[in-house]
């Protein structure tokens, strides 16, 4: 799964890397967590970076308080679940990041690790988004979820799942493209090459989303 990540790249750097303008200012996030508003690019507005809440609330949800709000969606079953199948067809997004965290189960307890690309450049997770309408207030709430897949060799040492990191601008544009079929989009949802990634253990300070500063990046 993917339950925590970073977006440390300055706003100008994100705009340049993804060829998009920011709809509103962003701040470095050392410990991005569910329910926070985080930078994504949706297929309906591929030239704009928007801040959207993490934790999917599908448009068909009736009771917001009872909604599950999944932060992840399994790539292998997207086409089997009606709500995800429709979003795969109509509402895909890039979730902008530059590293993520995973917790390795050990005899001594769970050990957090930080995972990133070898060149330490920003990248995009494949995601799905939707909008929920509050029929009482008229407020529209956009949300997103991150797609996960089987782990590559590096990630298999840490966990049984990993987020889908799209391998560069060409794959990112293909994921957003409305001209491709759902099958073509599904083919993009594969593990990132092991030799393009690196990781290291960090302190348990990252365990709490309240700790959102450079100290959470320090090696254990």
């Amino acid at each position: 799964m993917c339950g925590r990540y970073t977006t440390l790249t300055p706003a100008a750097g994100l705009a340049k890397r993804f060829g998009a303008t920011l709809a509103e200012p962003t701040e470095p996030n050392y410990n991005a967590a569910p329910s926070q508003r985080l930078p994504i690019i949706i297929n309906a507005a591929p030239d704009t970076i928007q801040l959207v809440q993490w934790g999917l609330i599908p448009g068909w949800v009736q009771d917001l308080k009872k909604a599950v709000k999944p932060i992840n969606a399994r790539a292998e079953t997207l086409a089997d679940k009606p709500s995800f199948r429709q979003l795969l067809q109509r509402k895909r997004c890039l979730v902008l990041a530059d590293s993520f965290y995973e917790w390795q189960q050990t005899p001594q307890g769970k050990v957090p690790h930080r995972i990133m690309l070898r060149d330490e450049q920003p990248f995009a997770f494949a995601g799905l988004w939707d909008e929920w309408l509050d029929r009482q207030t008229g407020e529209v709430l956009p949300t997103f979820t991150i797609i996960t897949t089987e782990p590559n060799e590096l990630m298999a040492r840490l966990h049984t799942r990993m987020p889908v990191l799209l391998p560069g601008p060409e794959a990112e544009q293909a994921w957003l493209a409305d001209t491709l079929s759902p099958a073509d989009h599904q083919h993009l949802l594969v593990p990132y090459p092991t030799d393009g990634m690196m990781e290291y253990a960090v302190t348990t300070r990252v365990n709490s989303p309240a700790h959102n500063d450079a100290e959470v990046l320090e090696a254990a």
Side-chain angles (χ1 to χ4, degrees):
M1 63 177 293
C2 180
R4 218 71 67 74
Y5 63 94
T6 70
T7 52
L8 306 179
T9 306
L14 282 181
K16 182 178 180 180
R17 164 62 178 81
F18 294 100
T21 58
L22 282 89
E24 57 185 290
T26 63
E27 295 293 334
N29 195 324
Y30 297 86
N31 202 356
S35 80
Q36 295 178 3
R37 295 176 70 240
L38 299 162
I40 74 169
I41 298 174
I42 65 175
N43 60 308
D47 297 326
T48 304
I49 298 172
Q50 307 179 41
L51 296 184
V52 174
Q53 182 175 303
W54 185 12
L56 186 71
I57 304 174
W60 49 262
V61 165
Q62 297 294 320
D63 189 338
L64 187 60
K65 293 182 180 179
K66 295 181 179 180
V68 177
K69 304 176 186 176
I71 63 171
N72 293 154
R74 293 175 66 94
E76 299 90 335
T77 58
L78 291 181
D80 300 330
K81 297 184 177 181
S83 57
F84 287 150
R85 181 169 63 242
Q86 293 179 16
L87 298 182
L88 178 62
Q89 295 172 351
R90 301 184 293 108
K91 294 185 176 180
R92 299 167 308 282
C93 65
L94 305 178
V95 181
L96 313 189
D98 33 47
S99 71
F100 64 98
Y101 302 103
E102 191 53 82
W103 280 256
Q104 180 185 28
Q105 188 72 55
T106 74
Q108 293 74 38
K110 291 186 176 181
V111 177
H113 292 250
R114 183 184 179 214
I115 304 101
M116 67 199 83
L117 300 186
R118 282 199 173 276
D119 61 10
E120 301 187 41
Q121 292 301 301
F123 56 83
F125 299 122
L128 302 174
W129 67 281
D130 205 353
E131 292 178 320
W132 181 79
L133 173 64
D134 186 328
R135 291 168 177 77
Q136 293 184 335
T137 66
E139 178 187 6
V140 175
L141 176 62
T143 59
F144 74 90
T145 188
I146 294 171
I147 299 173
T148 66
T149 186
E150 296 180 351
N152 61 21
E153 185 178 347
L154 178 146
M155 287 300 301
R157 299 195 295 268
L158 307 178
H159 201 271
T160 57
R161 305 288 297 173
M162 71 176 291
V164 174
L165 284 69
L166 295 166
E170 185 175 347
E172 293 160 7
Q173 292 168 15
W175 177 245
L176 293 182
D178 291 329
T179 54
L180 297 185
S181 68
D184 289 333
H185 286 131
Q186 190 89 42
H187 289 155
L188 296 168
L189 305 179
V190 296
Y192 195 90
T194 298
D195 59 6
M197 300 176 68
M198 62 181 181
E199 62 84 17
Y200 64 94
V202 295
T203 71
T204 55
R205 180 177 171 80
V206 74
N207 290 359
S208 172
H211 298 151
N212 196 333
D213 54 47
E215 289 186 31
V216 302
L217 306 179
E218 294 179 1

